[in-house]
Amino acid sequence: MSGPTKAMSVITVAALVLTTAYTVALGSSGWLWFGWLVLGMVTIGMAAADSASPTSPRRGRSRPGPQP
């Protein structure tokens, strides 16, 4: 997992904790849970895209030397 994906995961978990605390203290808010759901889906999408990307850069030429 890359750095931005890890950061997004941490933000998503923190948002879940804050949303749960808000719900316990002040009552449920549908928009707040909907926002967290969207954030979670974006995080899952980032993780899926991150795992699908190649781990090493592609090589252009096999011989070292000046590029034309």
Side-chain angles (χ1 to χ4, degrees):
M1 214 184 299
S2 67
T5 306
K6 285 182 185 178
M8 190 70 164
S9 299
V10 169
I11 290 169
T12 302
V13 170
L16 175 62
V17 170
L18 291 174
T19 302
T20 304
Y22 181 91
T23 298
V24 169
L26 301 174
S28 183
S29 170
W31 284 109
L32 196 60
W33 282 105
F34 176 74
W36 181 83
L37 183 66
V38 170
L39 181 64
M41 296 303 274
V42 169
T43 303
I44 290 170
M46 283 181 66
D50 192 33
S51 67
S53 63
T55 56
S56 61
R58 296 173 69 181
R59 297 176 191 236
R61 299 179 92 180
S62 59
R63 296 184 314 210
Q67 300 292 326

